[in-house]
Structure formats: C-alpha cells, structure tokens
Amino acid sequence: MALLTILCYPDPRLHTVAEPVAQVDDSLRTLIDDMIETMYDSNGVGLAATQVNVHQRLVVIDVSETRDQPMTLINPEIEWASDESHTNEEGCLSVPGVYDQVERADLIRIKALDRNGKSFKLEAEGMLSVCIQHEMDHLMGKVFVEYLSPLKRNRIRTKLLKSQRESIR
Ligand code: GNR
Ligand code: NI
C-alpha cells in the first residue's frame, strides 16, 4: 500500500479529461487500493484518479460513518438525473480549506464497473449522490470552484498559490 500525492488547485493537470479504463486488472486494483488508502488518510469521502494525476475514469468513494465501506466506480456513466436539485456545501481535497455551495441533482442513477470488472447499477441520493457527481466532474477535468463566481474563484486561486509557495519554502 502507498499514499499518493493529491494535486492542488490551480494545478492545470486537474483539468485533464480522463480516458475510459480499458482493462480491470491487478495493476488497476493496486491503484484502487492506494487511492482508498489516500482517501482515508486525508479524511475524504471520495477521490477521483484525476486528483492523483492518473487520467483514467476511476473513482473511489466511502460515505459511511464507519469509514469501512469503500466503493469503486470504474467508467461511471450517469443514466438519469432528477430535475429536482439542491445546493449543498462542498469541499475538495484538491482545494484545501475552501467550502462553498454547489447545486446538484437530488437523485441520480449510474452504471459503472466494480473492482472485478463487473457492471452494476446504482441509485444514489443525499451525500452519495453529491459525492458521485463531484467525482465525475473531476474525471471531466472540472473542479467544484468552477461553479463559483469568477471573483470567488480568483480569490481562491490567489490564496492557494500563496499557501503553496509558502509550504515549499
Ligand atoms: O472529502 C470530500 N468531501 C466532500 C464534501 C462535500 C461534497 C463533496 C465532497 S468530495 C471531497 C473529497 C474530494 O475532493 N473528492 O474529489
Ligand atoms: Ni474533489
């Protein structure tokens, strides 16, 4: 097992569009296990491969209280999303210390492959629904701050660039 480095906004690599996973094999499962370990180590509820600079359609999620129910989504596709939506406070491991409101569909139905390459469908609501939509945005190269106003986004960019410069020294 190994901890992976999480890219930090405004790193341009966070805007890379991921390619579909071609083969679910042992090397992919090693990456999945490292992503799960990294997600738990950072106290995140989800992690997209994009955030660890791997540009493949792969996501890990655990919204359980007990942090022992990791879920893997490979090549996830949204089959249906409700017209009803709500705003929720979101954060992101790639945008440390920033939390803001984002509007998301309430209910989604998705299709994906599990870690054994088996196809499954899932209907999600609540935190799981929000998290899946947030992670699937990462796979499209989109970070949640892109839903905020340009003014807020620029303030966030400046603040994070400054803290990254200070932490290197
Ligand atoms: O840990 C996370 N918490 C969170 C809270 C509200 C909405 C989305 C998230 S996902 C985030 C982890 C992360 O950055 N995943 O990409
Ligand atoms: Ni995120």
Side-chain angles (χ1 to χ4, degrees):
M1 302 271 267
L3 289 179
L4 306 171
T5 302
I6 298 176
L7 299 178
C8 215
Y9 188 84
D11 192 312
R13 293 172 290 185
L14 285 169
H15 304 304
T16 311
V17 178
E19 299 284 344
V21 169
Q23 262 214 89
V24 182
D25 54 17
D26 284 344
S27 76
L28 191 80
R29 281 184 282 271
T30 299
L31 171 62
I32 291 167
D33 289 338
D34 290 346
M35 284 175 60
I36 291 170
E37 190 186 3
T38 304
M39 171 179 70
Y40 288 145
D41 184 71
S42 327
N43 292 313
V45 294
L47 188 68
T50 308
Q51 293 175 278
V52 295
N53 200 30
V54 174
H55 302 290
Q56 300 191 43
R57 294 188 60 81
L58 167 62
V59 159
V60 297
I61 293 178
D62 189 342
V63 295
S64 72
E65 292 277 306
T66 43
R67 318 275 309 137
D68 59 357
Q69 282 162 66
M71 181 189 290
T72 303
L73 306 181
I74 300 166
N75 297 343
E77 301 291 347
I78 296 204
E79 296 200 305
W80 176 84
S82 64
D83 293 330
E84 296 79 41
S85 61
H86 274 91
T87 63
N88 311 275
E89 186 169 84
E90 295 198 15
C92 181
L93 295 173
S94 295
V95 195
V98 174
Y99 303 88
D100 215 323
Q101 296 289 319
V102 178
E103 183 167 357
R104 303 283 190 187
D106 289 347
L107 254 184
I108 56 168
R109 292 198 196 110
I110 66 150
K111 191 175 95 172
L113 304 179
D114 67 17
R115 61 181 291 138
N116 298 309
K118 190 174 180 305
S119 179
F120 68 99
K121 292 185 182 203
L122 177 72
E123 185 168 289
E125 62 177 355
M127 190 62 205
L128 180 59
S129 172
V130 169
C131 187
I132 290 172
Q133 292 174 72
H134 175 112
E135 303 311 338
M136 288 184 68
D137 273 352
H138 277 302
L139 300 180
M140 295 304 297
K142 186 154 185 169
V143 180
F144 87 98
V145 297
E146 290 170 73
Y147 291 106
L148 309 178
S149 71
L151 177 65
K152 275 192 179 177
R153 193 161 56 246
N154 271 314
R155 285 182 177 152
I156 292 164
R157 171 189 292 270
T158 303
K159 179 178 114 171
L160 290 178
L161 283 173
K162 182 168 180 282
S163 71
Q164 285 162 39
R165 235 185 300 121
E166 283 167 354
S167 70
I168 286 168
R169 276 192 264 130

